[in-house]
Amino acid sequence: MNFTLHQLKVFTTIVENKSITKAANELNMTQPAASIQLKNFQDQFDIPLSEIIGRQFYVTDFGREIFVIAEEILNKTETIQYKTEAFRGLLSGKLKISVVSTGNYVMPYFLSGFLKKYPKVELVLDVSNKTTVIKDLEQNLVDFSLVTVSPSHLEIEELPLMDNHLVLVASKENKIISEKGTSIFKTIPLIYREEGSGTRHTMQQFFKQEKIAPKIKLELTSNEAIKQAVVANIGVSIVSLLSIKNELLQNELKIIPAKGLPLKSVWKLIYLKKKTLSPVAKAFLAYVASEKETVYKNYFSWIDNTEFN
């Protein structure tokens, strides 16, 4: 048996993507080149690792077992590289973070200085919905997750970063009139995030507390889609203030004052309590803890000057 580390990498990437074409794109290879590497790896086994049915790629049971071993080998190889760098006095390794979609307006500012300080660190950042983010954390696929609503079923540690303000917004063309009470939510059509979203969770808690049955016009699966729908004057919505900075500056959206708003939650970096953090993860946690006030001052102080009422 004479497989190479490159063949292991190609095989695991194909399995992860469930597609030779997608894996080839990720590895910056041509599709034929990836297919050849997969064939050369397969030729060393007399039991099929995968099969193509129709045009769909499937992994066999044997292939899944080889995949697990291949991942372990590749991880050990990376560890050798990182240990070598560490002995040379350089912090290196992978930092894996999953972020809920609105957190994409937050996380880059906490990563920028850290990556400049430690250029050998390799970042893997996944931006997804809350359900996927928590699943990645639960399965120990990431070092940290950035959320506003913590999972109640997991034992976690938390590092609060900054407040998250949720405001009611409408198109500049919308003639809606603010009201002192909460009755405004009984008449205006609201655009909601999908079920499982942290923003939606906070909204629902507010409506439940105020005994409000809001009029839901439609549900959209991303913050960007909601912003565009509001700009187009399809309806109004409650969104994170962080996500609409540009739209406010460009006079495309306006904040509608309403009793009880803005809603507040907290952006926090969470990780599994029993997880053994890598040197890179420990360094990032320490960096964020020491620099979060400076990051807020440099990039988010505009929030303090925003008028909500």
Side-chain angles (χ1 to χ4, degrees):
M1 196 166 288
N2 191 30
F3 55 78
T4 66
L5 291 175
H6 182 56
Q7 288 172 350
L8 291 179
K9 183 63 176 176
V10 171
F11 172 66
T12 56
T13 307
I14 291 173
V15 172
E16 288 169 349
N17 285 274
K18 299 179 182 178
S19 165
I20 297 175
T21 301
K22 290 180 181 178
N25 290 335
E26 183 175 321
L27 295 169
N28 294 316
M29 301 172 63
T30 64
Q31 192 271 345
S35 295
I36 290 172
Q37 290 298 320
L38 177 63
K39 181 181 184 303
N40 290 341
F41 185 56
Q42 171 65 79
D43 287 346
Q44 298 179 71
F45 303 92
D46 57 5
I47 303 174
L49 299 171
S50 61
E51 55 187 354
I52 304 293
I53 301 178
R55 304 188 66 165
Q56 182 66 46
F57 177 88
Y58 294 94
V59 185
T60 64
D61 290 340
F62 177 67
R64 289 191 184 89
E65 293 191 18
I66 297 300
F67 169 77
V68 172
I69 298 171
E71 272 203 321
E72 291 176 355
I73 294 173
L74 291 172
N75 287 337
K76 292 293 184 183
T77 303
E78 287 184 347
T79 300
I80 292 173
Q81 177 185 341
Y82 302 150
K83 291 288 186 182
T84 303
E85 297 286 357
F87 270 91
R88 293 170 57 199
L90 300 172
L91 182 68
S92 65
K94 279 187 179 179
L95 177 63
K96 300 180 180 179
I97 305 176
S98 58
V99 178
V100 294
S101 57
T102 312
N104 197 37
Y105 300 100
V106 177
M107 198 73 254
Y109 299 99
F110 287 91
L111 285 165
S112 177
F114 178 77
L115 295 176
K116 287 177 182 176
K117 185 176 182 179
Y118 301 110
K120 290 285 186 179
V121 170
E122 181 183 349
L123 173 66
V124 179
L125 181 66
D126 180 51
V127 180
S128 189
N129 59 43
K130 176 174 171 273
T131 301
T132 301
V133 166
I134 297 304
K135 183 178 179 182
D136 286 346
L137 183 71
E138 184 175 10
Q139 295 180 350
N140 200 28
L141 299 177
V142 295
D143 298 306
F144 303 103
S145 292
L146 181 68
V147 297
T148 56
V149 180
S150 299
S152 58
H153 66 291
L154 297 178
E155 292 187 16
I156 59 171
E157 298 285 357
E158 299 182 352
L159 175 61
L161 302 186
M162 56 184 285
D163 286 342
N164 181 41
H165 301 264
L166 299 177
V167 295
L168 178 64
V169 293
S171 167
K172 270 293 183 178
E173 299 176 359
N174 197 306
K175 303 303 181 183
I176 185 173
I177 300 175
S178 62
E179 301 180 22
K180 293 182 179 180
T182 57
S183 59
I184 185 174
F185 295 107
K186 299 176 183 178
T187 57
I188 60 172
L190 272 176
I191 302 174
Y192 256 43
R193 280 291 301 272
E194 80 283 6
E195 194 68 51
S197 157
T199 298
R200 176 164 177 155
H201 174 80
T202 304
M203 288 170 60
Q204 288 176 323
Q205 281 191 322
F206 169 68
F207 291 141
K208 182 178 180 180
Q209 177 183 323
E210 296 293 330
K211 296 181 174 57
I212 299 170
K215 291 179 61 178
I216 302 176
K217 186 163 189 175
L218 72 157
E219 295 182 9
L220 295 174
T221 58
S222 77
N223 193 74
E224 287 301 316
I226 286 180
K227 285 198 300 182
Q228 294 306 314
V230 175
V231 169
N233 205 15
I234 293 175
V236 302
S237 188
I238 295 177
V239 299
S240 173
L241 178 62
L242 290 169
S243 70
I244 59 170
K245 179 181 179 182
N246 290 336
E247 286 75 14
L248 291 174
L249 290 174
Q250 294 166 8
N251 205 33
E252 294 177 327
L253 293 177
K254 60 183 177 183
I255 297 174
I256 306 299
K259 181 184 177 183
L261 269 66
L263 304 177
K264 286 187 180 181
S265 56
V266 177
W267 286 111
K268 45 202 168 186
L269 206 60
I270 64 173
Y271 57 100
L272 295 175
K273 182 172 287 188
K274 295 182 179 180
K275 182 177 179 63
T276 302
L277 296 178
S278 68
V280 171
K282 288 180 180 178
F284 180 66
L285 194 63
Y287 175 85
V288 171
S290 65
E291 297 295 323
K292 62 179 184 177
E293 291 182 7
T294 300
V295 170
Y296 183 88
K297 180 180 178 181
N298 290 341
Y299 299 105
F300 302 108
S301 57
W302 61 271
I303 294 173
D304 301 329
N305 300 318
T306 302
E307 294 186 7
F308 299 113
N309 300 307

